Amino acid sequence: MFTLDRVVPWGRSFDEYRRMFGLPDKDLALRIIGCGDGPASFNAEATRRGYQVVSCDPIYQFDNTQIEERIAATYEHVLEQTRRNAHDFVWGNGIRTVKELGAVRMAAMRTFLADYDAGKRAGRYVDAALPALPFEDGAFDLALCSHFPFLYSTQLGEAFHRAALHEMCRIATEVRVFPLLALESHRSPFVETCAADLVGFGREVAIERVPYAFQRGGNEMMRVRCRSAS
Ligand SMILES: C[S@@+](CC[C@H](N)C(=O)[O-])C[C@H]1O[C@@H](n2cnc3c(N)ncnc32)[C@H](O)[C@@H]1O
């Protein structure tokens, strides 16, 4: 069962999503699903700019106050962990210190919380978990998945990764996943095995460098072309 006490809510901004996934304006105009968006402000900020984004995450079974309380309960711990492992991260480019990191993440999560109730009513925040999503085949042009598969390689295992990638390919024309590093900052062992599995099912897989890195060495995303764009 998915419980809030196991989640460390940590959300990135629209600008970070743009860079993590190499998203030009033309891609932002696509029908986008963010898988595992959690308390990121991507959906809120994209909606404000007139784009169509749906986010799904099991954290959306909880209400605004519950998520806010969980953010408050875990925030200092995440920053302390980052402080202890500061050498694993790239400092600069808008995030020069742990204090700045906290401010940037908290600003994104506040933007998410301010949008959450209205977005849930509008169907933009859907309580759903990989690897089984409640969307029609091909419902989206682009599925984005940030800091979930590959990052939690030890916790999720290979079978989950394969199933999650196939599920995102079922609902979207193209899938992008970032980063390809596991939490321990080495490349996930599942990048190659999942890529081979997807190719075996007729998908096109590319590993591409993107203009974003916060984990040291984490500047690559996986792009999967699941089917020809119609
Ligand atoms: C590290 S956070 C990343 C949040 C956001 N994508 C970002 O980059 O800022 C990982 C997210 O994965 C979500 N998650 C956990 N299990 C999931 C599942 N089975 N399917 C989809 N999302 C899941 C968590 O609730 C959490 O919000």
Side-chain angles (χ1 to χ4, degrees):
M1 195 179 59
F2 185 90
T3 55
L4 199 52
D5 60 359
R6 286 176 44 217
V7 182
V8 178
W10 206 231
R12 289 163 189 81
S13 67
F14 178 82
D15 175 60
E16 289 182 286
Y17 266 64
R18 267 195 100 125
R19 290 185 288 131
M20 289 188 293
F21 295 111
L23 290 171
D25 289 349
K26 74 168 176 42
D27 289 2
L28 285 162
L30 299 170
R31 295 169 304 161
I32 296 177
I33 173 85
C35 299
D37 273 350
S41 62
F42 176 64
N43 190 321
E45 294 185 73
T47 302
R48 202 191 300 147
R49 287 166 165 83
Y51 298 121
Q52 278 180 56
V53 175
V54 173
S55 298
C56 62
D57 193 302
I59 204 178
Y60 303 148
Q61 67 193 264
F62 301 104
D63 69 23
N64 203 310
T65 309
Q66 290 171 305
I67 298 176
E68 187 176 19
E69 285 172 357
R70 186 67 188 148
I71 291 170
T74 54
Y75 176 79
E76 282 304 332
H77 176 70
V78 179
L79 290 189
E80 185 46 38
Q81 293 268 86
T82 311
R83 214 168 269 124
R84 261 191 246 143
N85 299 299
H87 51 278
D88 287 337
F89 299 97
V90 179
W91 300 100
N93 219 347
I95 305 182
R96 287 168 302 180
T97 61
V98 173
K99 197 169 164 206
E100 267 182 16
L101 172 70
V104 168
R105 292 283 176 274
M106 194 51 106
M109 293 191 283
R110 286 211 181 95
T111 300
F112 159 80
L113 287 170
D115 179 56
Y116 183 53
D117 293 341
K120 221 172 168 180
R121 281 194 300 275
R124 287 189 287 109
Y125 294 111
V126 178
D127 165 22
L130 286 165
L133 300 177
F135 305 109
E136 301 285 320
D137 294 2
F140 299 94
D141 302 308
L142 182 59
L144 304 177
C145 196
S146 148
H147 292 84
F148 179 51
F150 300 134
L151 188 66
Y152 293 98
S153 287
T154 310
Q155 294 80 351
L156 299 171
E158 183 169 353
F160 178 91
H161 280 75
R162 287 184 185 221
L165 283 159
H166 281 297
E167 179 65 349
M168 289 189 278
C169 257
R170 180 186 70 74
I171 63 166
T173 307
E174 182 176 315
V175 174
R176 297 183 201 175
V177 181
F178 178 95
L180 307 185
L181 298 184
L183 275 177
E184 302 78 15
S185 290
H186 57 73
R187 192 181 175 107
S188 163
F190 306 141
V191 172
E192 267 65 44
T193 54
C194 286
D197 178 51
L198 288 160
V199 168
F201 280 82
R203 321 295 197 189
E204 263 179 56
V205 180
I207 305 299
E208 297 178 15
R209 189 172 275 201
V210 293
Y212 179 91
F214 184 54
Q215 274 176 298
R216 199 168 285 289
N219 63 347
E220 289 179 318
M221 72 162 176
M222 177 183 282
R223 183 200 296 263
V224 187
R225 291 195 174 85
C226 307
R227 55 177 76 71
S228 315
S230 48

